[in-house]
Amino acid sequence: MSRIDYSVWDHIEVSDDEDDTHPNIDTPSLFRWRHQARVERMEEFQSKGEEINKSLMECRRKLAETQKKLQELSVASSDDAKTELNKVQAEEKKLKKEERDWSKKMEEHRREEKKMPWNVDTLSRDGFSKSIVNVKPEVGQETEEEKEQKHKTFVEKYEKQIKHFGMLRRWDDSQKYLSDNPYLVCEETANYLVIMCIDLEVEEKHALMEQVAHQTIVMQFILELAKSLKVDPRGCFRQFFSKIKTADQQYQDAFNDELESFKERVRGRAKIRIEKAMKELEEEERQKRLGPGGLDPVEVYESLPAEMQKCFDDKDIQMLQEVISKMDPTEAKQHMKRCIDSGLWVPNAKVDVEGKDEEPTYEEVKQEQEETKKE
């Protein structure tokens, strides 16, 4: 038989019943003052906890709105959207820090509450008059690393099933597939479908992209319905299909408008990705072209005077000598140095390893020109 732990009674504050007061002091009045002071301290402590909790909930609400806006902007393509995206990302970072600070304060407040001694007021509270409701406990805010790992793990496990759902067309087929695979009704599926749409648009599979986009909006509508009803998405997806199949024109129009808007955002995002890939490819090719001095031969060639460009085009050394003789020596030397740094010319070499003629340096061209004049 287990023994009852009475240690919780070791620190009980019941000073209202103390008898060791001075004979000249009005004992009942002293007890009332003490009681009133303690009640005020308790009310102040409780009010402080309510304020902290209120601030925490408000911070989490703002953070959720910011993250939703961030997700919408991530598929936008305009310059204004990019600027706004940077602002929203900064706001999200700020709110995350505030949320951590308020959570820490709330935890400290709860620890202080547990340490507070019991008294006649708390002892007399009815501890068994409340109803217990089986609700889902509030989940702490996940970090970006945790979200990324959760998404990666989910996709690795269910990628095949997500793709199958993305290819479905009929309402009944979608509903049945989710009934057989209810774990797919979640944010991770919606996020993967968004990425899948962008990939298909980049690959120019436009018709297939539009099909998967339809299923993406289906999942988004289910998740939004779950939020509005404050229930698990897996418990309300049948309500969505029942509603959409018998929907009035207004609800159907809302679905179609969101679908068209989403497809436009996907096209914009795909365009940005393609442009970025092209720039990276161009930069990679440019890095391969760089000469011994770190200059791009294409850029150097385009910066040369037209007369010098023609010399390179025709590989005419005599013409190059004439062009240089007419140029300012300082300017000519600068152009020649840039040609060497870019690899257009190889200095101190007349013949390369293959036996082909190499273009001379500026000094060599000048020397040949002077020797020609002497002759």
Side-chain angles (χ1 to χ4, degrees), residues 173-184:
D173 293 339
S174 296
Q175 181 176 348
K176 184 179 184 306
Y177 194 73
L178 292 181
S179 298
D180 295 337
N181 306 276
Y183 50 82
L184 293 180

Side-chain angles (χ1 to χ4, degrees), residues 23-64:
N24 295 334
I25 296 177
D26 181 9
T27 302
S29 298
L30 176 62
F31 290 163
R32 286 196 300 271
W33 295 336
R34 286 176 175 173
H35 179 262
Q36 180 63 31
R38 185 173 61 247
V39 169
E40 289 177 357
R41 289 198 305 270
M42 291 171 57
E43 290 178 349
E44 182 180 355
F45 185 82
Q46 184 179 1
S47 177
K48 179 182 176 182
E50 291 174 352
E51 287 297 323
I52 293 175
N53 187 62
K54 181 179 178 181
S55 298
L56 177 60
M57 293 299 102
E58 178 65 15
C59 183
R60 286 177 175 172
R61 183 189 66 79
K62 291 180 179 179
L63 181 59

Side-chain angles (χ1 to χ4, degrees), residues 218-233:
V218 167
M219 187 59 64
Q220 291 285 8
F221 263 61
I222 293 173
L223 295 175
E224 288 298 322
L225 178 61
K227 287 181 182 178
S228 65
L229 298 177
K230 297 181 180 179
V231 298
D232 191 304

